[in-house]
């Protein structure tokens, strides 16, 4: 009798594990920086700087952009360039 309860509990647990939504992983700083700049995982320094320049031409506060968004783009550039320097 106890064996049936154990088997039933394992089946219910297995079905629950299959149907539940997996927990979302928080974005990594590098992943978030890549998303902000719109560059891929294999972006080099030239591509990062070009994406930064393109975004800042649109988002710079002197051109009517948001200062907060400009800071975010600058931080993303700094994060990715620092990570590239660490790899070298």
């Amino acid at each position: 009798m106890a064996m049936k309860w154990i088997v039933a509990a394992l089946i219910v647990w297995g079905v629950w594990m299959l149907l539940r939504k997996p927990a979302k992983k928080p974005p990594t700083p590098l992943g978030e920086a890549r998303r902000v700049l719109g560059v891929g995982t294999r972006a080099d320094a030239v591509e990062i700087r070009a994406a930064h320049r393109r975004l800042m031409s649109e988002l710079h506060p002197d051109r009517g952009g948001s200062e907060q968004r400009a800071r975010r783009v600058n931080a993303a550039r700094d994060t990715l360039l620092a990570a590239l320097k660490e790899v070298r």
Side-chain angles (χ1 to χ4, degrees), residues 37-54:
L37 289 179
V39 296
T41 56
R42 294 183 174 255
D44 59 349
V46 173
E47 189 177 345
I48 292 169
R49 287 187 182 107
H52 174 263
R53 192 174 300 116
R54 177 182 48 82

Side-chain angles (χ1 to χ4, degrees), residues 8-23:
L10 287 174
I11 291 172
V12 169
W13 179 79
V15 169
W16 178 77
M17 291 298 288
L18 289 174
L19 297 179
R20 71 183 174 97
K21 293 182 181 179

Side-chain angles (χ1 to χ4, degrees), residues 18-66:
L18 289 174
L19 297 179
R20 71 183 174 97
K21 293 182 181 179
K24 289 186 177 181
K25 294 180 182 176
T28 62
L30 289 178
E32 181 67 17
R34 286 187 196 106
R35 188 189 64 74
V36 167
L37 289 179
V39 296
T41 56
R42 294 183 174 255
D44 59 349
V46 173
E47 189 177 345
I48 292 169
R49 287 187 182 107
H52 174 263
R53 192 174 300 116
R54 177 182 48 82
L55 284 172
M56 285 306 288
S57 68
E58 301 168 7
L59 301 175
H60 197 277
D62 291 344
R63 293 186 169 211
S66 167

